[in-house]
Amino acid sequence: MIWILILIQCIGIFNRKNTLYTIQIHIDIHGQGFFSLNAGGYQVGKIVITLSGSELILQDTTVLGKRYLHSVRNRLLHEVVEYAKMHELKIVTVSRFIQKQFSINPEKYADVWEKA
């Protein structure tokens, strides 16, 4: 299986300390993949995606542990939205968390949200 891997180095704040983390984008030749947030050598969050034409389908969101659930999910969502904007993709939401975020802030995501 061939994967496209993009690394984004970031400095984030999780526990009131600056923590180095990376955002990785994995997409195989069939458009299946995920965005992951890694910190301290561990994958702490992931959004499973499917890339289909000009649509980026966000299927599932997983975060390891509950301590930084909100900050990890929001950082991942921010990176996915930036990726979609950069590549002129429309986002289709299947994940309940992401659907809720888009519904709460429709004006924030209007340029990328493809409502079903």
Side-chain angles (χ1 to χ4, degrees):
M1 184 176 297
I2 298 173
W3 289 91
I4 298 169
L5 173 63
I6 301 167
L7 294 176
I8 303 168
Q9 294 279 340
C10 305
I11 297 274
I13 298 174
F14 287 126
N15 53 357
R16 295 189 177 96
K17 298 178 184 175
N18 287 334
T19 304
L20 180 65
Y21 63 87
T22 58
I23 301 292
Q24 295 182 347
I25 305 168
H26 302 261
I27 304 172
D28 69 16
I29 59 173
H30 304 291
Q32 303 295 313
F34 58 92
F35 283 69
S36 66
L37 188 145
N38 305 288
Y42 297 98
Q43 182 182 84
V44 294
K46 177 167 80 171
I47 295 178
V48 177
I49 60 113
T50 299
L51 183 59
S52 178
S54 64
E55 293 184 337
L56 186 61
I57 303 164
L58 308 184
Q59 300 171 341
D60 188 32
T61 307
T62 306
V63 175
L64 180 65
K66 294 182 180 180
R67 187 171 183 180
Y68 305 114
L69 178 69
H70 190 70
S71 61
V72 170
R73 280 182 167 179
N74 285 333
R75 171 52 51 195
L76 275 168
L77 179 57
H78 172 77
E79 296 298 337
V80 169
V81 169
E82 288 303 311
Y83 180 87
K85 287 178 181 180
M86 187 177 358
H87 297 283
E88 299 179 1
L89 300 171
K90 290 292 187 180
I91 293 176
V92 176
T93 57
V94 177
S95 164
R96 289 186 321 185
F97 163 75
I98 296 170
Q99 180 67 43
K100 182 178 178 182
Q101 294 303 308
F102 277 43
S103 296
I104 291 170
N105 302 299
E107 65 287 340
K108 182 177 180 179
Y109 303 109
D111 55 339
V112 293
W113 190 12
E114 182 70 35
K115 295 180 185 178

